[in-house]
């Protein structure tokens, strides 16, 4: 079934309103218990079944205190500022309790297997750039190289290793439900449960603000988090990366990593990976801001009836400026390899742009890598003619609307 055109960045599928109404009615009539976003109740629910000491596995007292403070500040902002509808409150409860559960599960794992945190990693390749600047395309082209490794979507949001590994199934179910609620999801960002994707879930679990500000109006938490040292967040990130690499046997391969938040926290990220190679994606600022605001509006309007496009655009223009400033500051003191990729040139001749990128990074671009990248390009081209990509032009037109 084809996906309907997206008439406006704040448009949402009728199914969202139906489910929102069902949840609200269930809470009002007492058929189901209304969720609580109190941090203490969330912590009790998410940590149920774990030992008291599990959270401390592999973590310092400083990092534990930072995480708990972030949880308290985030919950206050969500309850006081986000103006979530019923479906938004239910989503928030699920997202936060799952983050807590996974944190305790990882702590338990590290308590039992501390050697995972000693995993020696090959120098990673970090893709840095604004939302909607071509970072996903660059990331997946580099990840297609058989000499490299990448993080699967399912592992980003379910980082605890499993045997048998059912995470691709769980990730696929998550995407199935997400596409039902948001039929334009894959025009924003093509997903696949086991496909290379950004490590956004790892940052969300550490209660960095990036995953939450893209779906909720939480200005006080954003201000708090932007002003706070992100070191504890990226120490947790490094622990998860070491665990994921050890589990998949890919520690010897450079991990290609990408989250738009990296630009804002590049100094703290490079402190964890000082031997990294960095790729910076560039695109015209006005195009980036308009497209990023459209993406955020698409997510925010599902969970709040009070989403305002003008406010979103103003905020994400500010965010783009902040991320650009912090990226340039971090790169000014970084002495490792840095390559720049241009959004327009990548669209005109991706192979030439990638060849130049490899040269700047001091990497060998093998025939096998080019062949794999060509396959990745063909996969993306086919997606533009499927039900998930058929209305890309309509989507871009909606982004341009006042």
């Amino acid at each position: 079934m084809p996906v309907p055109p997206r008439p406006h960045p704040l448009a949402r599928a009728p199914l969202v309103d139906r489910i929102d109404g069902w949840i609200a009615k269930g809470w009002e009539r007492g058929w189901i218990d209304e969720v609580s976003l109190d941090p203490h109740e969330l912590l009790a629910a998410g940590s149920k079944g774990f030992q008291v000491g599990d959270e401390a596995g592999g973590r310092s007292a400083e990092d534990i205190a930072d995480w708990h403070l972030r949880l308290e500040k985030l919950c206050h902002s969500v309850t006081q500022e986000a103006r979530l509808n019923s479906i938004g409150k239910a989503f928030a409860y699920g997202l936060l309790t799952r983050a807590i559960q996974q944190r305790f599960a990882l702590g338990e794992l590290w308590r039992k297997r501390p050697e995972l945190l000693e995993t020696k990693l090959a120098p990673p390749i970090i893709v840095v750039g604004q939302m909607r600047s071509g970072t996903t395309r660059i990331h997946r082209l580099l990840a297609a190289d058989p000499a490299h490794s990448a993080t699967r979507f399912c592992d980003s949001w379910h980082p605890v290793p499993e045997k048998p590994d059912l995470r691709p199934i769980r990730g696929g179910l998550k995407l199935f439900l997400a596409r039902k609620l948001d039929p334009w999801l894959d025009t924003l960002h093509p997903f696949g449960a086991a496909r290379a994707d950004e490590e956004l879930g790892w940052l969300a679990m550490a209660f960095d603000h990036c995953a939450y500000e893209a779906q909720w109006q939480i200005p006080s938490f954003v201000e708090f988090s932007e002003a706070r040292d992100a070191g504890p967040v990226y120490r947790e990130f490094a622990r998860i990366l070491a665990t994921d690499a050890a589990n998949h046997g890919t520690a010897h391969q450079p991990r290609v990593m990408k989250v738009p938040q990296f630009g804002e926290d590049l100094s703290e990220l490079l402190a964890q990976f000082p031997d990294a190679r960095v790729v910076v994606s560039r695109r015209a600022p006005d195009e980036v801001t308009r497209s990023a605001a459209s993406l955020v509006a698409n997510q925010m309007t599902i969970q709040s009836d009070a989403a305002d496009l003008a406010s979103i655009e103003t905020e994400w223009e500010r965010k783009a400026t902040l991320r650009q400033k912090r990226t340039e500051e971090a790169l000014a003191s970084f002495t490792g390899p840095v390559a720049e990729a241009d959004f327009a040139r990548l669209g005109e001749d991706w192979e030439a742009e990638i060849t130049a990128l490899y040269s700047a990074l001091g990497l060998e671009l093998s025939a096998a890598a080019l062949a794999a990248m060509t396959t990745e390009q063909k996969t993306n081209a086919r997606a533009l003619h499927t039900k998930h990509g058929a209305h890309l032009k309509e989507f871009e037109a909606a982004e341009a609307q006042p």
Side-chain angles (χ1 to χ4, degrees):
M1 180 180 295
V3 178
R6 184 175 183 230
H8 189 273
L10 289 175
R12 64 187 185 193
L15 179 61
V16 172
D17 292 315
R18 290 200 295 270
I19 294 177
D20 182 64
W22 295 337
I23 295 173
K25 186 175 182 180
W27 287 344
E28 180 182 352
R29 300 195 176 184
W31 296 338
I32 52 176
D33 293 333
E34 186 169 356
V35 298
S36 170
L37 297 179
D38 175 82
H40 303 290
E41 294 186 36
L42 288 171
L43 189 59
S47 63
K48 186 176 181 179
F50 292 98
Q51 297 181 22
V52 174
D54 283 340
E55 185 188 6
R59 302 181 178 106
S60 68
E62 176 190 353
D63 288 358
I64 293 172
D66 178 82
W67 183 86
H68 281 269
L69 179 60
R70 286 176 178 274
L71 173 61
E72 292 178 7
K73 295 288 188 179
L74 175 58
C75 289
H76 178 269
S77 188
V78 170
T79 55
Q80 299 300 312
E81 299 168 338
R83 294 183 289 177
L84 299 180
N85 53 26
S86 297
I87 198 171
K89 292 177 183 176
F91 280 3
Y93 179 84
L95 189 60
L96 297 177
T97 54
R98 185 174 66 247
I100 294 167
Q101 188 274 332
Q102 290 173 344
R103 177 177 178 82
F104 275 78
L106 281 170
E108 179 185 36
L109 176 66
W110 295 333
R111 180 173 58 80
K112 295 177 178 178
R113 296 186 59 193
E115 73 279 3
L116 289 172
L117 302 180
E118 302 301 320
T119 303
K120 301 299 182 183
L121 299 172
I125 301 170
I126 299 173
V127 180
V128 179
Q130 302 282 3
M131 292 169 59
R132 320 305 288 165
S133 69
T135 53
T136 296
R137 190 177 185 190
I138 295 167
H139 175 245
R140 286 182 173 161
L141 285 170
L142 295 177
D145 187 336
H148 300 155
S149 66
T151 306
R152 303 184 300 179
F153 170 85
C154 59
D155 295 349
S156 175
W157 291 99
H158 299 277
V160 184
E162 298 178 358
K163 289 185 179 180
D165 192 356
L166 302 179
R167 290 177 293 175
I169 296 175
R170 245 194 325 277
L173 178 60
K174 185 190 302 290
L175 289 175
F176 173 80
L177 296 174
R179 287 167 179 143
K180 290 297 182 182
L181 292 174
D182 184 358
W184 307 284
L185 183 67
D186 286 272
T187 58
L188 292 161
H189 181 100
F191 285 99
R195 194 174 186 185
D197 215 293
E198 58 189 44
E199 292 80 10
L200 182 62
W202 299 355
L203 295 181
M205 200 186 71
F207 290 140
D208 179 84
H209 55 291
C210 60
Y212 305 108
E213 69 179 341
Q215 55 186 311
W216 305 330
Q217 300 173 81
I218 46 173
S220 66
F221 181 68
V222 171
E223 182 180 9
F224 160 81
S225 193
E226 287 178 351
R228 191 168 182 79
D229 175 26
V233 171
Y234 287 95
R235 287 194 288 271
E236 182 79 357
F237 184 99
R239 287 188 285 266
I240 299 174
L241 175 59
T243 302
D244 186 83
N247 179 62
H248 287 293
T250 57
H252 63 289
Q253 295 179 296
R255 178 66 63 103
V256 185
M257 305 189 299
K258 186 274 286 193
V259 184
Q261 181 66 19
F262 287 170
E264 190 173 319
D265 303 327
L266 191 54
S267 292
E268 291 92 338
L269 180 60
L270 291 176
Q272 293 300 313
F273 306 104
D275 56 355
R277 292 178 169 89
V278 178
V279 179
V280 182
S281 178
R282 306 286 190 186
R283 186 183 182 187
D286 59 330
E287 296 176 5
V288 165
T289 301
R290 185 174 65 248
S291 190
S294 183
L295 182 151
V296 172
N298 170 268
Q299 298 298 301
M300 198 170 287
T301 194
I302 294 174
Q303 301 186 56
S304 173
D305 300 331
D308 177 71
L309 186 57
S311 298
I312 293 171
E313 289 175 341
T314 298
E315 169 62 6
W316 283 89
E317 184 174 4
R318 183 194 70 82
K319 289 293 299 187
T321 301
L322 175 67
R323 287 179 174 175
Q324 182 66 28
K325 176 177 180 290
R326 291 192 176 179
T327 294
E328 300 305 332
E329 289 173 349
L331 291 177
S333 59
F334 180 63
T335 58
V338 178
E340 294 201 359
D342 181 78
F343 181 86
R345 291 199 305 266
L346 191 67
E348 294 166 0
D349 188 345
W350 70 266
E351 188 171 337
E353 192 70 357
I354 288 295
T355 299
L357 187 153
Y358 267 64
S359 177
L361 295 180
L363 295 171
E364 178 187 356
L365 182 57
S366 67
L370 275 176
M373 291 178 186
T374 299
T375 299
E376 170 67 23
Q377 282 294 111
K378 290 179 179 177
T379 299
N380 285 335
R382 283 196 300 271
L384 295 179
H385 297 89
T386 66
K387 67 179 182 179
H388 297 312
H391 293 285
L392 184 59
K393 290 183 178 180
E394 288 92 336
F395 177 82
E396 291 173 341
E399 288 182 342
Q401 289 185 21

